Amino acid sequence: MNKYRHTEGFKRYYTLDYFYKQQFQTKICKISLNGGFTCPNLDGVSGYGGCIYCSKLGSGEFAGNQQDDLVDQFHTVAKMMKQKWPQAKYIGYFQARTNTYAPVAELKDKYERILNQENVIGLSIATRADAISDDCYDYLEELATRTYLTVELGLQTIHPKTSALINRCHSLTCFEQAVKELRKRNINVVVHIINGLPHETKEMMIATTNYLNQFDIQGIKIHMLSVLTDTPLATYYQKAPFSILTKEEYIEIVCDQLERLNPEFVIHRITGDPKREDLITPNWLLKKFVVINDIDKELKRRDTYQGIYYNNINKKSNL
């Protein structure tokens, strides 16, 4: 029997699907979009070359083709979703690269075109903490008053040496300020982290999730590092191979993280999802549902659930 109220079936963590059902009383489908944005970590504003793990598609492998009109991208996917879930509502997910990194007039044009489509109830916008201007914050605040808005911030790690190695090019202070600015405007925040970054230990990865417990955020995405072709990470891995987490190690770490996470955080993602043709390693990531099922089995074996140790972690941090 599950002890945590934000669960259903055999899940022992707060799933996004469960959250959406409770919030909207219907099936919600996120439709990934490529808005043709770039990144301050590519053009020299923050850095050059991008984060070393980032693919040529800007981590938007399952977004649309940026050569296609945004509305056409949306309808291509929505048509398929409607066949499976006729009553579904949609969230437009601006996924590829940094989706607040443009003048507000351009953002308004792209966001509003998707919001104007039938059955769209919200937007999810993936971005970086160093790429939200004051004007953008003001626009997002207004947007949040009339649609379900989520801003997804890439953090990846709290550890400075790792951040420098992966060429993240923004500070932890910058991230903290962005969370503060978004939340004071009542904008939902989801944070991305990556397990398995080069030379990080299990304890370092758990420290990253423990750190997030201090913030008023609404969700988290947990990724496993993918070494993809045509990335600086692939070159680094070839020249200086580092240990890649096994499936069993990853599952152990994720379960340890879930046990310590705030039980009110919605778990938007719990593993990576690379394209087969781009993946160098680890191959076990290609079996996404096996990984998810094995996480469920491990939590059941432990007889634990999301947040079981959360209060203990908070007490220690306040000593």
Side-chain angles (χ1 to χ4, degrees), residues 242-283:
F242 56 91
S243 179
I244 299 290
L245 294 179
T246 66
K247 177 167 70 78
E248 292 71 25
E249 288 171 331
Y250 181 78
I251 289 165
E252 179 184 347
I253 290 166
V254 169
C255 291
D256 287 348
Q257 290 171 322
L258 289 172
E259 289 170 347
R260 291 157 176 79
L261 274 174
N262 185 334
E264 298 300 324
F265 290 175
V266 180
I267 310 301
H268 285 237
R269 175 178 284 275
I270 206 161
T271 184
D273 199 14
K275 281 192 172 182
R276 179 181 297 271
E277 59 268 29
D278 295 334
L279 184 65
I280 295 173
T281 191
N283 287 331

Side-chain angles (χ1 to χ4, degrees), residues 99-108 111-112 125 131-144 146 149 181-182 185 187:
N99 294 273
T100 58
Y101 190 52
V104 169
E106 180 181 342
L107 300 179
K108 285 183 177 180
Y111 298 171
E112 302 290 345
I125 300 167
I132 311 176
S133 67
D134 289 343
D135 286 349
C136 183
Y137 277 121
D138 291 342
Y139 170 52
L140 293 174
E141 182 176 15
E142 186 274 326
L143 199 56
R146 53 188 172 90
L149 179 65
E181 290 296 326
L182 290 165
R185 292 167 167 83
I187 297 167

Side-chain angles (χ1 to χ4, degrees), residues 90-142:
Y90 306 112
I91 290 176
Y93 178 25
F94 284 84
Q95 180 183 21
R97 299 207 189 277
T98 305
N99 294 273
T100 58
Y101 190 52
V104 169
E106 180 181 342
L107 300 179
K108 285 183 177 180
D109 174 64
K110 293 179 178 180
Y111 298 171
E112 302 290 345
R113 288 171 65 200
I114 298 303
L115 281 175
N116 287 335
Q117 303 309 304
E118 186 178 8
N119 290 325
V120 172
I121 54 88
L123 295 178
S124 191
I125 300 167
T127 190
R128 290 167 52 97
D130 60 347
I132 311 176
S133 67
D134 289 343
D135 286 349
C136 183
Y137 277 121
D138 291 342
Y139 170 52
L140 293 174
E141 182 176 15
E142 186 274 326

Side-chain angles (χ1 to χ4, degrees), residues 47 75 102 109 211:
H75 284 294
D109 174 64
Y211 161 85

Side-chain angles (χ1 to χ4, degrees), residues 16-272:
L16 180 62
D17 188 59
Y18 182 80
F19 169 76
Y20 280 156
K21 286 178 181 176
Q22 298 299 306
Q23 184 83 6
F24 300 106
Q25 290 78 53
T26 190
K27 175 68 178 178
I28 300 296
C29 298
K30 286 179 74 175
I31 297 183
S32 295
L33 302 165
N34 190 327
F37 295 100
T38 182
C39 179
N41 202 13
L42 286 172
D43 63 10
V45 170
S46 295
Y48 292 99
C51 297
I52 65 171
Y53 52 77
C54 199
S55 71
K56 56 184 176 293
L57 294 175
S59 298
E61 278 68 21
F62 298 96
N65 186 333
Q66 72 175 80
Q67 305 303 320
D68 295 338
D69 180 80
L70 265 176
V71 174
D72 290 341
Q73 291 181 39
F74 174 85
H75 284 294
T76 297
V77 179
K79 184 177 180 180
M80 293 186 291
M81 297 293 186
K82 190 171 184 178
Q83 290 176 348
K84 189 171 183 179
W85 298 289
Q87 305 304 317
K89 305 293 184 182
Y90 306 112
I91 290 176
Y93 178 25
F94 284 84
Q95 180 183 21
R97 299 207 189 277
T98 305
N99 294 273
T100 58
Y101 190 52
V104 169
E106 180 181 342
L107 300 179
K108 285 183 177 180
D109 174 64
K110 293 179 178 180
Y111 298 171
E112 302 290 345
R113 288 171 65 200
I114 298 303
L115 281 175
N116 287 335
Q117 303 309 304
E118 186 178 8
N119 290 325
V120 172
I121 54 88
L123 295 178
S124 191
I125 300 167
T127 190
R128 290 167 52 97
D130 60 347
I132 311 176
S133 67
D134 289 343
D135 286 349
C136 183
Y137 277 121
D138 291 342
Y139 170 52
L140 293 174
E141 182 176 15
E142 186 274 326
L143 199 56
T145 65
R146 53 188 172 90
T147 194
Y148 183 76
L149 179 65
T150 300
V151 171
E152 301 190 12
L153 290 177
L155 173 62
Q156 321 314 358
T157 180
I158 64 168
H159 303 289
K161 286 186 178 179
T162 309
S163 187
L165 174 62
I166 65 176
N167 199 42
R168 189 65 195 160
C169 294
H170 73 67
S171 68
L172 211 52
T173 300
C174 179
F175 167 80
E176 293 170 358
Q177 185 62 28
V179 173
K180 178 181 177 182
E181 290 296 326
L182 290 165
R183 290 305 298 141
K184 79 180 185 182
R185 292 167 167 83
N186 202 32
I187 297 167
N188 299 306
V189 175
V190 170
V191 178
H192 293 229
I193 65 164
I194 299 176
N195 286 335
L197 289 168
H199 317 302
E200 286 207 347
T201 64
K202 170 184 173 180
E203 290 73 23
M204 292 170 74
M205 297 174 219
I206 292 172
T208 292
T209 44
N210 286 349
Y211 161 85
L212 290 176
N213 282 330
Q214 68 184 289
F215 296 101
D216 174 25
I217 63 173
Q218 286 59 60
I220 183 171
K221 284 188 174 182
I222 303 174
H223 302 262
M224 168 60 196
L225 181 71
S226 302
V227 182
L228 304 176
T229 57
D230 298 324
T231 62
L233 180 63
T235 303
Y236 180 83
Y237 182 69
Q238 184 179 29
K239 291 180 177 179
F242 56 91
S243 179
I244 299 290
L245 294 179
T246 66
K247 177 167 70 78
E248 292 71 25
E249 288 171 331
Y250 181 78
I251 289 165
E252 179 184 347
I253 290 166
V254 169
C255 291
D256 287 348
Q257 290 171 322
L258 289 172
E259 289 170 347
R260 291 157 176 79
L261 274 174
N262 185 334
E264 298 300 324
F265 290 175
V266 180
I267 310 301
H268 285 237
R269 175 178 284 275
I270 206 161
T271 184

